[in-house]
Amino acid sequence: MDEKEALRVGAAVRRRRRTLGLTLAVVADRSGLSVPFLSQIENERARPSARSLDRVARALETTTARLRAAADSARAVDVVRAAAGDGTRRVVRGRHQLSALEFTGELDLGREFQHRNDEVMYVVRGAAEVEAEGQAYRLEEGDTLFLSGGVRHRWRATVPETRLLVVAVAEHIDATFDPRR
């Protein structure tokens, strides 16, 4: 693990701990590491050894590989340049908390979608029809449609050169609402 990756793992550890609703004291008890050391890891003031990171991962009910993969999402800036393609392109690279796709052209994917997390559709140019929860919605340029997680939907572009931006909470993130919190 290089120095930059080791530093970014702190944010991943903090996110995972908070997702589980754990305190530093609980993670310290589970891992056998001290609260101050765990705090230093989370605040990127200490670099955990491979052994320490493994102990933290087990305490957080995950693996070191998953923590390292989540650390990649801590990268603050990434530019994705416009490019010609087949009508679909990722506008966010890597494994992050958000997923974003741009669709261009008269697309009709011909299938229904259902995602576990929320998503937003924004018509940059053109128009699209969306069917969700038995309702049909016609979206024009500049319109936005929000779909909460679990809503079955299908869509199609209805105008040539339509550009539709779809941004969603990534599938590997558990962003379901817990009314107990």
Side-chain angles (χ1 to χ4, degrees), residues 4-181:
K4 287 183 181 177
E5 184 180 341
L7 292 177
R8 283 194 303 252
V9 82
V13 167
R14 180 184 303 111
R15 277 194 310 268
R16 177 69 182 165
R17 177 179 62 78
R18 288 180 176 169
T19 296
L20 294 173
L22 302 176
T23 64
L24 281 171
V26 169
V27 176
D29 185 52
R30 289 181 177 184
S31 67
L33 301 171
S34 72
V35 169
F37 181 58
L38 291 169
S39 177
Q40 289 177 342
I41 291 171
E42 285 190 2
N43 291 303
E44 301 176 348
R45 292 192 179 109
R47 291 179 21 204
S49 66
R51 184 169 181 246
S52 292
L53 187 58
D54 184 57
R55 291 166 72 178
V56 170
R58 279 187 278 126
L60 295 174
E61 302 167 9
T62 190
T63 64
T64 56
R66 285 191 174 140
L67 284 177
R68 286 186 180 119
D72 183 48
S73 69
R75 185 170 56 196
V77 178
D78 186 24
V79 175
V80 178
R81 303 285 180 200
D86 63 356
T88 303
R89 77 176 179 107
R90 293 199 170 279
V91 293
V92 174
R93 282 188 287 238
R95 187 173 162 95
H96 298 282
Q97 292 185 19
L98 289 178
S99 171
L101 296 168
E102 179 186 52
F103 299 92
T104 305
E106 264 186 284
L107 292 173
D108 184 353
L109 301 177
R111 68 184 196 98
E112 190 173 68
F113 298 92
Q114 183 179 25
H115 311 289
R116 76 186 237 173
N117 295 317
D118 298 348
E119 81 177 76
V120 172
M121 297 176 140
Y122 173 71
V123 180
V124 177
R125 181 176 60 223
E129 289 180 354
V130 180
E131 182 184 319
E133 295 293 306
Q135 289 276 101
Y137 302 90
R138 177 151 173 80
L139 303 177
E140 304 287 336
E141 189 169 311
D143 290 345
T144 302
L145 178 74
F146 169 81
L147 299 162
S148 63
V151 171
R152 291 182 185 277
H153 60 284
R154 65 177 69 233
W155 65 270
R156 68 182 186 91
T158 57
V159 174
E161 297 308 311
T162 291
R163 287 181 59 202
L164 182 70
L165 179 63
V166 178
V167 179
V169 176
E171 288 292 319
H172 69 277
I173 302 295
D174 183 7
T176 54
F177 176 70
D178 183 353
R180 296 172 294 181
R181 289 189 175 186

